[in-house]
Amino acid sequence: MPTSTARVWFALALVYVVWGSTYLGIRIVVETMPPFLSAGARFLTAGLLLAGLVAWRDGPAALRATRAQVRSAVVVGLLLVLGGNGFVVLGETSVPSGLAALLVAAVPMWLVLLRAGSGDRPSPRTLAGVLLGLGGLAVLAGPGFGGEIALGGVLLVLAGSVCWSLGSFSAAKLTLPPNPFTGSAYQMLVGGAGGIVVGLCRGEQHGLDPGSYSTASWVALGYLVLFGSLVGFTAYVWLLRAAPLSLVATYAYVNPVVAVALGWLILDEALTWPILLGGAIVVAAVCVIVSTERPG
């Protein structure tokens, strides 16, 4: 039991730190690299590595999927990776990493609204958490309307959080491959390919000069591939089977805190009052929603 408990907390610490640090990694990548092409390369590489790991560990048969399962993986991959991550990456070209993380923390709120739209009846406490969180988002978006931060970047990150919510909601409704790692590999490959296509359509290939990319951007991209897309995801999937959902769900309000702290420490991002106040409100709202929606 002690060993099992230690493993759970180690995996949880990985999810806390690794996923919280991905916003910092993205911000460093887009300082010198094109957003969609770099994100596409990240997920294509991670998808191929994950598919190879699945085939090596469980045999090539583990990668088999029906047409319906592949179609579902395509839909979820486009929503999560291309839309969810892609909009965040593009948004972080003009929005600080800590603010982006706090805006993405709204995902549990959008999920509650999606579930309510499909016939679920959230509890009054959950709805109160959503209203509180929307107020926090309004505070966070304030500098965008005031011209202190690019409003377009704020809206892009919010659009990414909505796409991520739609992808997560759809994943619970669609028939995906029974092996979660196989499904994730397909989603990464589809989303990564979509990112490359969008990058090409945006003209990101014009004047492309890999030699001009900073060492920091290359290191950050490698970190996102190996840790953000592989280690963090693997730890999360293992936790879903080994720990109570209420414990696993705590990543939703710890990740933004980690991201804000790293952005402040490493990139010297300003901790303005809208970020501190709005962030505190959003994190508190997510705490309320998670504690209500995922008991036990």
Side-chain angles (χ1 to χ4, degrees):
M1 181 65 67
T3 301
S4 177
T5 302
R7 291 165 103 183
V8 166
W9 281 104
F10 178 72
L12 197 59
L14 284 176
V15 173
Y16 284 168
V17 177
V18 171
W19 278 5
S21 65
T22 55
Y23 298 93
L24 173 68
I26 290 170
R27 180 68 176 169
I28 294 174
V29 166
V30 297
E31 284 179 348
T32 61
M33 292 182 172
F36 275 100
L37 289 183
S38 62
R42 167 193 172 182
F43 283 103
L44 277 177
T45 303
L48 289 172
L49 288 173
L50 185 57
L53 287 172
V54 170
W56 172 74
R57 184 176 181 273
D58 301 321
L63 294 174
R64 292 176 183 169
T66 65
R67 289 185 180 180
Q69 290 169 346
V70 171
R71 284 195 297 268
S72 297
V74 168
V75 171
V76 175
L78 290 176
L79 286 171
L80 288 180
V81 179
L82 178 59
N85 181 265
F87 281 133
V88 171
V89 172
L90 187 59
E92 281 205 50
T93 59
S94 58
V95 169
S97 62
L99 176 56
L102 291 169
L103 293 169
V104 173
V107 165
M109 304 171 210
W110 307 136
L111 284 172
V112 169
L113 295 177
L114 286 170
R115 287 171 50 193
S118 67
D120 265 3
R121 291 185 178 180
S123 69
R125 184 181 175 187
T126 299
L127 289 176
V130 171
L131 292 175
L132 179 64
L134 292 176
L137 288 179
V139 175
L140 288 172
F145 289 100
E148 301 168 40
I149 293 176
L151 178 60
V154 171
L155 295 178
L156 281 169
V157 176
L158 284 173
S161 73
V162 172
C163 286
W164 189 273
S165 303
L166 285 169
S168 302
F169 184 76
S170 300
K173 303 290 184 182
L174 298 173
T175 303
L176 293 165
N179 186 322
F181 298 104
T182 298
S184 182
Y186 289 152
Q187 291 162 27
M188 289 183 188
L189 290 170
V190 169
I196 296 294
V197 171
V198 171
L200 293 176
C201 290
R202 294 183 72 244
E204 292 181 2
Q205 74 277 17
H206 298 312
L208 201 65
D209 181 16
S212 67
Y213 302 156
S214 69
T215 301
S217 290
W218 281 113
V219 171
L221 183 61
Y223 177 84
L224 290 174
V225 170
L226 295 177
F227 290 91
S229 298
L230 292 177
V231 173
F233 173 75
T234 304
Y236 180 71
V237 170
W238 182 83
L239 279 168
L240 289 177
R241 300 183 180 186
L245 281 175
S246 57
L247 180 62
V248 180
T250 57
Y251 86 90
Y253 47 86
V254 175
N255 281 170
V257 177
V258 172
V260 170
L262 290 176
W264 173 64
L265 286 170
I266 297 176
L267 296 182
D268 200 26
E269 294 179 350
L271 295 180
T272 61
W273 76 263
I275 288 180
L276 292 174
L277 177 60
I281 295 173
V282 168
V283 170
V286 173
C287 288
V288 171
I289 295 170
V290 168
S291 64
T292 305
E293 293 291 294
R294 293 189 171 184

